[in-house]
Amino acid sequence: MFDKFRLRNRILLGYIAPTFLWAISAFAVYFNAQIVRDKSSMVAVSRTILDRDQDMALNIQVMQRAVRGYLLDRSEVSLNSYQQAKQNVLSLSASLAEFVKDPQQQEKLPRIVALVSQLDAMNRELIALVDRGQVGQAIATWKLKDGREYDEEITSLLKDFEGREKQIVRQREDEKNAALNALVFVVVAATALSVLLAIAIGLWVASGIADRMSRSASAVASASREIAVTMEEQERSATHQAASVNQTTTSLDELGTSSQQVAQQAESAALGACQALTLTGGGTKAVDRTLEGMATLREKVDAIAQQTQRLSDRTSQISSIASLVSDLANQTHMLALNAAIEAVRAGEGGKGFGVVASEIRKLADQSKKSAEKINALVADIHTALAATVMTTNEGTKTVEEGMACARDTADAFAGVADAINQVVLNNQQISLSIQQQAAAIQQVADAMNAINTAARETATGITQVKIGTQQLNEAADALKAMV
């Protein structure tokens, strides 16, 4: 039943039980001390009675000696001594009457007082004879009746009184000693029981505290070990995640650099298209001059042939750039897809990253479509350039054919101008799209950097938790060893 007590109740019981026992022993000590005090006071009263009994006997003797002295010398000193002794006897008898409680003594004390009164009456008679000058008669009366029978009877009564009082004193002394012995026994027994009870309760409380602290320390140690194992696993996962995020951030930085390079190349392509447009304007003017003078037709045709060759080279460059843009769009699309998958794995914290990846994928699709349009336009340009070459070759045969070819060339150059203008517009759109991709990639890189920083902080926090768990485990082991 006591094993189910809480530690607080055990400690409280450990204080209450000895306190209750000490209260009982204190009451017993107080009761026996009262008995000892009462017996001691009664012994003191008995000793007072003995002292006054002895004083009373002494004063009676003084009375008798004073009477004999007054008969011999009729001295006032003897008379005063007699009167003083008589007053002392009366005072002592009165005080004894107050102190005496024993029935036997209460019976003897009036008899003693009566005998003292009779002795005093006889002595006053002798003193009166002396005062009347009848000293001889007083002496004869004293010799005839000297009061010895009163004195002996009084002495006998006083001895009996004294003996009875001594018996009472011995009885009270025995009772006082018995009370003292009981008091000592109670004190010793209460002290011994209190010490034994305190030791027993202390061992009981200590064992309960030690058992519960040992169980608690074992539970804390087990829990801290499990937490430590979990923290190690989380630390490995956080470290791996931080490494993955760091690698992704590096890839995004490389992608951003590549997108900037593509933007520069697109800008160069737009500049080349503008130059091609300018050259086409020059070709149109040459056709007009051909219409004005056929003499310079051959030279202009050669110039057109040369410009056409350069235009073919430019269109080849544009085709290469468009192919590069298409490849970049495909890679961006794959990277955006991988980023979306990683955002899904990241859970709630990767939703914003998933939105950015979706926008990047859309921009990649648009770039791919623009590259396809550029390729189509470049194919048209190649076709127009081929027709232009054929036309210039045939224009050398005759002027009429040259005029017709010049007209056809003017029309072809008008189409080329439109196509190149469209190429310029497409290149500008590609440049704008790539710039947007670069900005989006930069945002993704910033987000990944933030995730990387958070992953490092998480790993650091997990390491600190691991260290705290190890310290908790060590504290639990120390507590268990101490218990």
Side-chain angles (χ1 to χ4, degrees):
M1 178 181 67
F2 293 103
D3 293 336
K4 297 181 180 179
F5 276 20
R6 299 176 65 182
L7 293 179
R8 180 178 60 187
N9 296 330
R10 288 194 178 201
I11 295 172
L12 186 61
L13 181 61
Y15 280 106
I16 290 175
T19 303
F20 181 73
L21 184 59
W22 289 336
I24 294 175
S25 62
F27 177 76
V29 169
Y30 175 77
F31 179 74
N32 286 279
Q34 284 292 111
I35 294 175
V36 171
R37 188 178 65 180
D38 294 339
K39 297 300 179 182
S40 298
S41 63
M42 293 175 68
V43 169
V45 171
S46 296
R47 293 190 182 281
T48 302
I49 291 173
L50 288 174
D51 292 338
R52 294 186 180 183
D53 178 74
Q54 293 175 0
D55 291 340
M56 189 173 179
L58 180 61
N59 280 283
I60 290 174
Q61 292 178 2
V62 170
M63 286 174 61
Q64 293 300 100
R65 287 196 300 270
V67 169
R68 287 195 295 270
Y70 193 73
L71 290 176
L72 295 176
D73 57 4
R74 197 179 178 182
S75 173
E76 290 293 331
V77 175
S78 299
L79 184 60
N80 292 332
S81 178
Y82 176 81
Q83 294 294 335
Q84 183 65 40
K86 185 179 74 172
Q87 291 295 328
N88 290 335
V89 169
L90 294 175
S91 176
L92 290 171
S93 63
S95 64
L96 286 174
E98 295 178 358
F99 286 109
V100 171
K101 303 298 180 182
D102 184 65
Q104 296 180 7
Q105 292 176 329
Q106 288 178 349
E107 291 179 359
K108 288 182 175 65
L109 187 59
R111 177 62 181 164
I112 293 171
V113 174
L115 290 173
V116 170
S117 298
Q118 292 177 4
L119 182 62
D120 179 57
M122 183 188 71
N123 289 332
R124 283 200 307 271
E125 183 180 354
L126 294 174
I127 291 170
L129 291 174
V130 172
D131 290 340
R132 288 195 298 269
Q134 299 176 354
V135 176
Q137 185 179 357
I139 293 173
T141 302
W142 179 78
K143 289 180 180 180
L144 180 64
K145 189 188 296 185
D146 58 0
R148 289 182 180 178
E149 66 275 11
Y150 297 116
D151 190 18
E152 291 176 356
E153 187 174 0
I154 290 171
T155 302
S156 177
L157 290 172
L158 288 175
K159 287 182 178 179
D160 293 340
F161 189 89
E162 183 179 358
R164 176 60 182 168
E165 193 62 34
K166 287 181 179 180
Q167 182 181 0
I168 293 173
V169 169
R170 286 193 299 272
Q171 182 180 357
R172 290 177 177 175
E173 287 286 349
D174 293 338
E175 292 176 353
K176 183 181 75 172
N177 291 329
L180 283 173
N181 292 331
L183 178 61
V184 172
F185 175 76
V186 169
V187 172
V188 173
T191 303
L193 288 175
S194 299
V195 171
L196 292 176
L197 183 60
I199 292 173
I201 293 177
L203 292 175
W204 176 59
V205 172
S207 64
I209 293 174
D211 292 339
R212 296 190 182 185
M213 288 182 69
S214 179
R215 290 196 296 268
S216 299
S218 299
V220 171
S222 178
S224 63
R225 291 190 185 94
E226 293 178 358
I227 292 172
V229 173
T230 304
M231 287 298 104
E232 289 179 358
E233 294 178 356
Q234 290 184 357
E235 184 180 14
R236 288 195 295 270
S237 299
T239 303
H240 181 69
Q241 183 180 4
S244 299
V245 171
N246 191 14
Q247 184 176 2
T248 304
T249 303
T250 304
S251 300
L252 286 174
D253 291 336
E254 294 176 356
L255 179 60
T257 302
S258 299
S259 65
Q260 290 177 359
Q261 292 176 357
V262 171
Q264 292 176 359
Q265 292 175 358
E267 186 176 358
S268 299
L271 181 60
C274 290
Q275 291 177 359
L277 184 61
T278 302
L279 292 174
T280 303
T284 303
K285 291 179 180 179
V287 171
D288 291 336
R289 285 195 300 271
T290 300
L291 294 175
E292 293 175 356
M294 295 298 294
T296 59
L297 178 62
R298 184 70 179 179
E299 295 176 356
K300 294 299 181 181
V301 169
D302 292 336
I304 291 172
Q306 293 176 0
Q307 293 296 330
T308 303
Q309 185 63 35
R310 291 177 63 186
L311 181 61
S312 178
D313 295 336
R314 294 294 184 180
T315 53
S316 297
Q317 293 179 0
I318 292 171
S319 178
S320 298
I321 292 171
S323 298
L324 181 61
V325 170
S326 180
D327 293 337
L328 179 61
N330 291 328
Q331 292 179 2
T332 304
H333 186 276
M334 292 300 295
L335 183 60
L337 182 60
N338 292 328
I341 293 173
E342 291 296 329
V344 173
R345 290 181 181 178
E348 188 68 23
K351 285 185 176 181
F353 184 74
V355 174
V356 174
S358 178
E359 293 296 327
I360 291 173
R361 190 165 63 250
K362 292 178 180 179
L363 291 174
D365 292 334
Q366 292 178 1
S367 298
K368 186 176 181 181
K369 292 178 180 179
S370 298
E372 291 175 355
K373 290 180 180 180
I374 291 172
N375 288 326
L377 292 174
V378 169
D380 293 339
I381 291 172
H382 276 295
T383 301
L385 288 175
T388 302
V389 170
M390 291 176 64
T391 302
T392 53
N393 289 329
E394 292 176 356
T396 58
K397 295 178 179 180
T398 60
V399 175
E400 290 81 4
E401 293 177 356
M403 290 296 291
C405 289
R407 292 188 186 93
D408 293 336
T409 303
D411 295 335
F413 272 109
V416 170
D418 294 335
I420 292 174
N421 189 20
Q422 186 65 34
V423 169
V424 171
L425 293 176
N426 290 332
N427 284 331
Q428 290 177 352
Q429 183 66 33
I430 290 172
S431 178
L432 180 61
S433 299
I434 292 175
Q435 290 177 359
Q436 292 177 354
Q437 289 179 5
I441 290 171
Q442 186 63 38
Q443 292 178 357
V444 173
D446 294 338
M448 291 303 295
N449 288 326
I451 294 173
N452 192 10
T453 302
R456 291 195 187 97
E457 293 177 353
T458 302
T460 304
I462 291 173
T463 302
Q464 293 177 355
V465 172
K466 180 181 176 182
I467 294 172
T469 304
Q470 292 176 353
Q471 293 176 353
L472 177 63
N473 193 8
E474 293 175 357
D477 292 335
L479 178 62
K480 187 176 181 181
M482 180 181 66
V483 174

